[in-house]
Amino acid sequence: MSLTRVTGRFEGEASLEAQAREILQHYDQPRAAVLPLLWLVQENCGHISSEAEFWVGRLVGVAVSHIREVVSFYSMFRTRDAGRHELRVCTSLPCMLRGAGDVLGQLEDRLNIRPGETTPGGELTLTEVECLCACEIAPMAQLDEQFVGPLHGEALEAVLRDALREPTDSSQTSEPHSGAPAARNVRGGVEAGAPAARSVRGGVEPFVSTDGPVLSTRFRDTAGTWLDSYVADGGYRAAGKALMSMTPAQIIDEVARANLRGLGGAGFPTAKKWSFIPKASPKPKYLVVNADEGEPGTFKDRYILERDPHALLEGMIIAAYTIGSHKAYVYIRGEYFRSAQRFRRAVEEAYARGWLGKNIQGSGFDLDVVIHRGAGAYICGEETALLTSLEGGKGFPRLKPPFPAISGLFQCPTIVNNVETLACIPFILREGAERFAALGTPKQGGTRLFSVCGHVNRPGLYEAPVGVTLRELVESHGYAEGVRRGRRLKAVIPGGISAKVLTAEEIDVRMDFDSLMAAGTMAGSGGVIVMDETTCMLDALQSAAKFFAHESCGQCSPCREGTGWVHRIMRRLSE
């Protein structure tokens, strides 16, 4: 479809107008629909032209300068056509440790193009990107909407064959597949030594915990757990209990006694956060789900969205009822195409079966859910930047106070919760606060999903009590099973790339928020990045500096200018 003006109108505008009006109906303020409208244009037209920016601005009632700012801010929006396929190669630290630099070099040599360029025949655009949060299959890339990896040997050749195929090829299915044969579970992982998948569309099946008591009980089904299976496994029982027989105050008390803390990184007590919502406010109240997972080394929320989406939805229903919200927005990072598709299927199932919409299960409580996709900006993982983005702007953080619970989305009382946090709620109400609390430490209850990647024998996702030690995660059987190839451990990042690095002598520390803070680092997002003795720490620091320079939102000059200077200094030192 072309966006060339024809007598003042776009060619094909009528079909886009109809879809645009449908999108606008989901938002309480038209401006909030900016990102989904830009996605609509790009997905139909290949890129976002100047004419399209005027069109979007007119639909939502803002100046074209604002739309242009937004388009230029998000890395996934294009202002010119790319190739028929796009191969986005991740070169952040977890992939760098596994040879991403060599992979990118091989691709440049084979295709005779550099990042940002397209093959002469228009088949493929090669793009270098920061973390795609599929670190368990590093080194990896994203071919159109599919994660592919680990990219070694024949796997890389297979990706190139797929990338250079015509777009009508059947390989362009939206659902990735793996040719990996079934393997036995070993303490929640896949048996070590299981044959690797020959097909890399979707990647080799990583090691994933499937015996964790709270979050990963249904992760064994790689195709996802859908409503009938979820209900058969006790799903929505907690939501029914909350809606039919509990008051919001009782729910807050139960969650408080469970010692649940926010698992997006801050570790703030969840019940206390909910209690900040002003009960007497006449304004609408909103629940916003932070699914903008972008911290290098972290990939936990993706598994909940793809393999157990109804657990998140049930937690959302309980949270929304507790704070008095009748509308919830789920902000999913733009790179998570498959996650958004699967979660959308779960939302449709929930509406069809009376778990969303008007008068849920006859309880008198109403809740609508809107899925909102980001467009490539790490900063939007910060809750106020996420809200600014959700309102249709650049992802700029806001000064606090006021806190979102008082003045958040559309200046209304808002609770922003992480995916993993909300997925814990059904267990607490179903099994009791005491059981959840007993799984953890005195100040932090429950378990966590730990993303373990880098130089380990079994990179993957593992559910463990928050009191597990970092050494156990890295070395123990059933977890990562030690440093690869028998090499010595050099350093570990315990909570995503923002956390302080620990040396090999400092890993006898528990992984709860307070213990890691006492050790001078932080639990963060639970992303564990392991580095062996072959790692050059200067290169690791340069990779981290490059990431933060690239991902600075640019709002404040110390970060906008300073991260760039740090990266350039590190690059000179490395060279």
Side-chain angles (χ1 to χ4, degrees):
M1 183 185 301
S2 171
L3 280 178
T4 304
R5 283 193 179 276
V6 179
T7 62
R9 294 179 61 85
F10 295 130
E11 181 183 343
E13 182 178 332
S15 62
L16 284 182
E17 287 273 5
Q19 295 175 70
R21 297 298 174 192
E22 183 178 350
I23 289 170
L24 285 163
Q25 290 176 6
H26 295 295
Y27 291 86
D28 292 358
Q29 292 189 9
R31 178 169 167 162
V34 166
L35 262 64
L37 289 172
L38 290 172
W39 272 118
L40 175 69
V41 171
Q42 182 162 296
E43 288 168 353
N44 281 274
C45 308
H47 72 288
I48 300 167
S49 67
S50 298
E51 294 86 353
E53 293 173 347
F54 276 100
W55 180 70
V56 171
R58 188 177 74 247
L59 283 172
V60 301
V62 301
V64 69
S65 59
H66 173 79
I67 303 300
R68 191 155 294 167
E69 278 187 344
V70 172
V71 171
S72 66
F73 181 83
Y74 295 95
S75 64
M76 297 185 74
F77 288 143
R78 298 190 298 265
T79 55
R80 56 191 177 93
D81 273 334
R84 292 192 289 271
H85 298 294
E86 182 180 16
L87 184 62
R88 310 173 75 238
V89 181
C90 176
T91 57
S92 68
L93 181 59
C95 281
M96 186 203 80
L97 293 171
R98 288 275 182 168
D102 291 339
V103 168
L104 184 60
Q106 291 177 55
L107 288 168
E108 290 175 345
D109 292 343
R110 290 288 306 278
L111 298 169
N112 199 28
I113 57 174
R114 297 293 177 262
E117 298 177 350
T118 302
T119 54
E123 301 92 349
L124 178 68
T125 297
L126 181 64
T127 308
E128 181 182 357
V129 298
E130 293 300 330
C131 195
L132 292 166
C133 288
C135 316
E136 75 276 35
I137 58 170
M140 57 79 60
Q142 188 171 42
L143 178 56
D144 297 330
E145 299 183 0
Q146 304 302 318
F147 288 156
V148 291
L151 297 180
H152 293 302
E154 174 55 30
L156 185 58
E157 295 300 319
V159 167
L160 280 172
R161 287 194 298 270
D162 269 359
L164 298 174
R165 284 176 180 164
E166 290 297 315
T168 55
D169 189 274
S170 60
S171 67
Q172 294 310 298
T173 174
S174 62
E175 193 71 13
H177 65 272
S178 170
R184 294 187 293 110
N185 283 337
V186 179
R187 273 202 60 194
V190 176
E191 181 182 6
R198 293 185 63 194
S199 169
V200 293
R201 294 197 64 82
V204 175
E205 187 60 32
F207 300 107
V208 180
S209 171
T210 57
D211 63 355
V214 179
L215 292 157
S216 62
T217 55
R218 286 171 290 274
F219 282 6
R220 66 180 63 89
D221 190 346
T222 60
T225 300
W226 304 108
L227 195 141
D228 288 337
S229 297
Y230 184 71
V231 170
D233 198 31
Y236 288 111
R237 199 169 69 203
K241 175 183 176 182
L243 296 179
M244 303 299 184
S245 63
M246 297 182 74
T247 65
Q250 288 173 325
I251 296 171
I252 288 177
D253 180 66
E254 190 79 358
V255 175
R257 289 190 296 109
N259 290 329
L260 175 65
R261 293 170 68 169
L263 299 174
F268 193 81
T270 302
K272 182 179 288 188
K273 191 174 192 178
W274 291 358
S275 71
F276 291 157
I277 289 285
K279 298 178 178 60
S281 174
K283 295 181 177 180
K285 300 173 181 67
Y286 294 103
L287 174 67
V288 174
V289 181
N290 187 344
D292 191 58
E293 182 173 59
E295 184 81 1
T298 311
F299 41 89
K300 61 187 178 65
D301 293 342
R302 194 180 91 239
Y303 279 85
I304 296 172
L305 290 165
E306 294 185 6
R307 298 197 182 187
D308 201 12
H310 283 284
L312 171 57
L313 272 177
E314 185 174 14
M316 289 172 58
I317 293 167
I318 296 167
Y321 169 72
T322 304
I323 67 172
S325 171
H326 299 289
K327 192 152 196 179
Y329 291 92
V330 183
Y331 189 109
I332 301 179
R333 74 174 302 196
E335 294 88 345
Y336 277 10
F337 292 96
R338 186 191 196 199
S339 304
Q341 290 166 359
R342 289 197 169 189
F343 187 69
R344 187 177 302 279
R345 172 178 166 179
V347 168
E348 291 169 353
E349 284 187 319
Y351 269 109
R353 301 285 281 276
W355 282 108
L356 288 176
K358 300 292 185 183
N359 191 24
I360 293 175
Q361 300 297 314
S363 66
F365 178 69
D366 305 337
L367 179 64
D368 284 314
V369 170
V370 177
I371 298 173
H372 183 98
R373 288 180 56 213
Y378 165 74
I379 192 63
C380 291
E382 192 277 328
E383 65 175 10
T384 62
L386 185 152
L387 295 176
T388 307
S389 177
L390 185 52
E391 291 174 346
K394 297 178 289 188
F396 277 3
R398 301 171 179 170
L399 292 175
K400 295 183 286 190
F403 291 91
I406 305 301
S407 180
L409 186 64
F410 311 134
Q411 292 76 54
C412 294
T414 303
I415 291 296
V416 183
N417 279 143
N418 169 258
V419 168
E420 186 182 8
T421 308
L422 290 169
C424 291
I425 301 296
F427 179 93
I428 293 170
L429 264 63
R430 189 175 61 246
E431 305 293 335
E434 291 75 14
R435 184 178 175 198
F436 186 86
L439 292 169
T441 64
K443 293 186 178 180
Q444 183 183 350
T447 62
R448 282 203 79 172
L449 293 174
F450 294 100
S451 313
V452 187
C453 63
H455 293 153
V456 290
N457 288 313
R458 295 205 322 170
L461 188 68
Y462 300 98
E463 180 175 0
V466 296
V468 69
T469 68
L470 182 53
R471 184 178 298 280
E472 287 176 299
L473 282 176
V474 172
E475 296 182 354
S476 293
H477 178 69
Y479 295 123
E481 299 196 344
V483 180
R484 64 173 187 171
R485 301 174 188 168
R487 290 175 175 154
R488 287 184 295 118
L489 180 67
K490 187 170 191 177
V492 185
I493 300 176
I497 203 170
S498 300
K500 175 195 168 186
V501 182
L502 297 178
T503 66
E505 292 73 34
E506 296 175 313
I507 65 170
D508 290 302
V509 57
R510 294 192 305 183
M511 292 294 286
D512 61 281
F513 286 105
D514 297 323
S515 297
L516 285 168
M517 185 178 296
T521 183
M522 62 182 185
S525 56
V528 178
I529 306 173
V530 179
M531 291 169 271
D532 69 19
E533 60 187 321
T534 66
T535 305
C536 171
M537 298 310 293
L538 188 66
D539 288 344
L541 178 55
Q542 182 188 352
S543 177
K546 174 174 171 283
F547 174 82
F548 288 114
H550 181 271
E551 295 296 342
S552 171
C553 76
Q555 182 174 199
C556 307
S557 57
C559 179
R560 182 183 63 245
E561 303 300 328
T563 54
W565 275 110
V566 169
H567 177 225
R568 288 190 289 274
I569 291 168
M570 292 310 306
R571 187 172 58 197
R572 288 200 302 270
L573 285 171
S574 181
E575 291 172 351

